[in-house]
Amino acid sequence: MATAAAAPVWSVDPRTGKRREQVAVEATAAEVDRTVRAAHDTRVALAGRQVRAALLRRAADLLDEAGEAVIEAADAETALGPGRLTGELGRTTYQLRAFADVVADGAFLDVLIDHADPALTPPRPDLRRYKIPLGVVAVYSASNFPLAFSVPGGDTASALAAGCPVVVKAHPDHPATSELCAALLRRAAADVGLPEGVVGLVHGFQAGLDLVRHPLITAAGFTGSVRGGRALYDAAAARPQPIPFHGELGSLNPVVITEAAAAERAEAIGAGLAGSMTLGTGQFCVKPGLVLAPEGEAGDRLLTSLTDAVSDTEAGVLLDHRMREAFLDGVRSRAELPGVQAPVTPGAGGTHTVSAGFLTVPAAHLTEEGPHDVLLEECFGPVTVVARYADDAEIGAVLARLPGNLSATLQLGDAESAGTDDAGYGARLLSEVTPLAGRVVVNGWPTGVAVAPAQHHGGPYPATTSTSTSVGGTAVERWLRPVAYQDTPPALLPPELRDDNPLGLPRRVDGRPEGG
């Protein structure tokens, strides 16, 4: 019986919808197996912290050196533009180097030593605890960030920092960029003396399923849609040996604008909202998708400012034509609901483009279950929903119905921000939105997620499937597990746990920072 030919993987120009070149073929189950096993075989070579830090820094250097080619490839496949992609490349290489610093510092190992104390009741044995890598990690690339959340992105960087080899499932919207970046990472591995199999790459929908089900895959990181992420999450849980699945699935990113804030700076808020919701043609995972704005004169001024700014936004290209159709269908179904108006109608800007816009609706329509519930779901693209509220009770009622989010934003008046308003309104709103999101923004906008140690990019389901972050130094924790050694002879202990601390790690000994 003849074997079916492997399906080709095409690079497509989203500006025209035409194929550019065949980049690869979809991986068969046997090829996925070989790629995972090759990654698995590199675990011992990747064990040393020094070589991991060197790998991450060399990868950053090579991406910078190949920057022009990387940006050209990514722009040809995503239409995100050289300006945006130059910034994204800088973010990508920065976070690679930041994770190298995390590795070199060693605090992420969370070393705890409690010496034996027979005088305690009950007596305490000698206990020494630190964290070890899980094993091979599957990474699922994002459509909207071909660099920072894809092959060389934060999931890959943090997994390698933890000591975990990686197999990346390329996103079909940018396969050529994925191949180029994977080649650079493998070259970085070779340059520092590591096997190139430490970073693997596969293409294809079925390959993605085969990957998460592979017995040597120990954890997975995903950025994408609720539907796709939930399918993989369920597959990870259904394995004979379930694995952690750290998925970023979808987020509405609500914004609450108080009456005082609108009265004080309606025009600035309207312009800021327009810039945030249209950034990257509305394809950021933290795009504000629902805005609670007051009824009345101040709210009207805000909407006038928003209308002017959005009207001046040029039509843009979405990442692929499937997303374009989903955007147009989503806008159409929302605009047809009773009470919904479109001061600036979002829709088709041309054969291959979309135009930005926004919808308005009385907040009262969102306080109870009904046909308007679709307005409480993410619509990927340059559109937001402005719900006009009559009083504080409507704000609370709408917030109470929202699912988990990556971010929640408050636009407060001066006294509310300073905590000097009579009702303590700013603090009360802060407490209301905190349970809804992993990051709360005050008097700013959620687009733009800084790579910093204190960052948290995650949130309650469906924003993410775990409590971890995918951005910032603590993202490394997703790929580690703790292990404790009890009454283990000193000669057998890992060097990280020996009393003489030969690696010079930051540690806590008998409840106190060592040397402090």
Side-chain angles (χ1 to χ4, degrees):
M1 182 175 178
T3 302
V9 175
W10 293 94
S11 174
V12 177
D13 183 347
R15 294 180 173 95
T16 64
K18 295 181 179 179
R19 292 173 173 175
R20 299 177 58 248
E21 60 177 330
Q22 181 180 339
V23 173
V25 295
E26 295 185 357
T28 64
E31 288 165 341
V32 171
D33 179 63
R34 284 197 297 271
T35 304
V36 173
R37 292 186 183 280
H40 180 75
D41 289 344
T42 70
R43 291 172 303 135
V44 173
L46 196 58
R49 285 171 38 242
Q50 186 174 0
V51 75
R52 301 205 302 264
L55 167 62
L56 294 166
R57 293 194 173 103
R58 183 58 180 153
D61 290 344
L62 290 178
L63 282 163
D64 281 338
E65 291 171 12
E68 185 175 343
V70 170
I71 291 167
E72 182 180 357
D75 181 51
E77 294 187 305
T78 67
L80 289 173
R84 148 71 195 274
L85 290 166
T86 297
E88 186 178 336
L89 178 60
R91 172 200 177 96
T92 303
T93 56
Y94 174 84
Q95 66 187 2
L96 284 163
R97 294 185 177 102
F99 279 115
D101 292 341
V102 168
V103 175
D105 174 73
F108 74 100
L109 295 171
D110 196 20
V111 180
L112 302 172
I113 297 175
D114 291 319
H115 289 107
D117 190 342
L120 292 176
T121 305
R124 183 178 71 200
D126 185 273
L127 289 167
R128 298 163 189 250
R129 177 186 188 271
Y130 78 145
K131 293 179 178 177
I132 62 174
L134 290 174
V136 184
V137 169
V139 170
Y140 293 82
S141 296
S143 62
N144 56 341
F145 281 86
L147 305 175
F149 284 85
S150 293
V151 173
D155 284 352
T156 297
S158 58
L160 293 173
C164 295
V166 171
V167 177
V168 184
K169 190 274 181 186
H171 196 279
D173 279 352
H174 36 80
T177 307
S178 299
E179 286 285 349
L180 174 57
C181 291
L184 291 169
L185 293 183
R186 287 193 286 263
R187 179 179 158 195
D191 286 352
V192 300
L194 286 168
E196 293 188 4
V198 73
V199 177
L201 181 70
V202 296
H203 298 266
F205 175 82
Q206 184 60 45
L209 289 174
D210 293 339
L211 185 60
V212 80
R213 292 168 176 160
H214 196 285
L216 294 181
I217 292 293
T218 60
F222 171 90
T223 303
S225 68
V226 173
R227 181 180 178 184
R230 185 54 195 255
L232 290 170
Y233 174 81
D234 291 344
R239 292 166 40 123
Q241 182 179 345
I243 59 171
F245 184 88
H246 301 285
E248 179 190 321
L249 310 188
S251 186
L252 193 61
N253 306 302
V255 177
V256 179
I257 303 168
T258 67
E259 290 193 63
E264 292 171 8
R265 55 182 197 282
E267 290 73 19
I269 292 174
L273 173 59
S276 185
M277 58 155 286
T278 62
L279 187 65
T281 322
Q283 297 175 109
F284 277 57
C285 51
V286 287
K287 179 203 73 175
L290 176 70
V291 181
L292 286 159
E295 295 178 352
E297 184 270 338
D300 291 344
R301 286 193 290 116
L302 190 155
L303 255 65
T304 297
S305 173
L306 178 62
T307 298
D308 292 343
V310 171
S311 297
D312 288 340
T313 303
E314 294 184 1
V317 177
L318 295 185
L319 293 161
D320 62 39
H321 281 57
R322 176 184 55 81
M323 292 183 188
R324 181 178 182 273
E325 291 304 315
F327 170 75
L328 296 177
D329 290 344
V331 166
R332 190 179 302 114
S333 64
R334 288 163 171 79
E336 291 172 350
L337 292 168
V340 173
Q341 297 181 339
V344 181
T345 303
T351 305
H352 304 288
T353 61
V354 296
S355 60
F358 69 97
L359 308 175
T360 63
V361 66
H365 287 335
L366 305 179
T367 58
E368 295 182 357
E369 185 176 351
H372 291 81
D373 286 359
V374 69
L375 299 176
L376 303 181
E377 299 174 4
E378 179 184 15
C379 185
F380 193 73
V383 63
T384 195
V385 175
V386 180
R388 303 291 298 272
Y389 64 85
D391 51 37
D392 296 348
E394 287 189 351
I395 294 177
V398 174
L399 292 177
R401 301 198 62 234
L402 296 186
N405 291 271
L406 294 170
S407 72
T409 297
L410 299 178
Q411 294 288 340
L412 304 177
D414 291 342
E416 294 164 343
S417 297
T420 56
D421 57 312
D422 293 338
Y425 191 46
R428 181 157 60 84
L429 277 178
L430 195 73
S431 68
E432 283 191 65
V433 301
T434 294
L436 297 176
R439 178 168 58 107
V440 178
V441 180
V442 179
N443 295 338
W445 299 103
T447 40
V449 182
V451 179
Q455 184 59 271
H456 187 85
H457 189 62
Y461 186 86
T464 52
T465 59
S466 71
T467 59
S468 302
T469 179
S470 60
V471 178
T474 54
V476 71
E477 296 172 359
R478 296 173 295 169
W479 322 120
L480 300 164
R481 71 172 180 88
V483 59
Y485 293 88
Q486 180 172 326
D487 292 333
T488 303
L492 302 183
L493 285 170
E496 292 87 350
L497 301 180
R498 295 174 187 167
D499 280 335
D500 59 351
N501 195 7
L503 303 180
L505 293 170
R507 313 190 302 184
R508 291 186 69 85
V509 178
D510 295 330
R512 295 181 178 85
E514 189 172 34

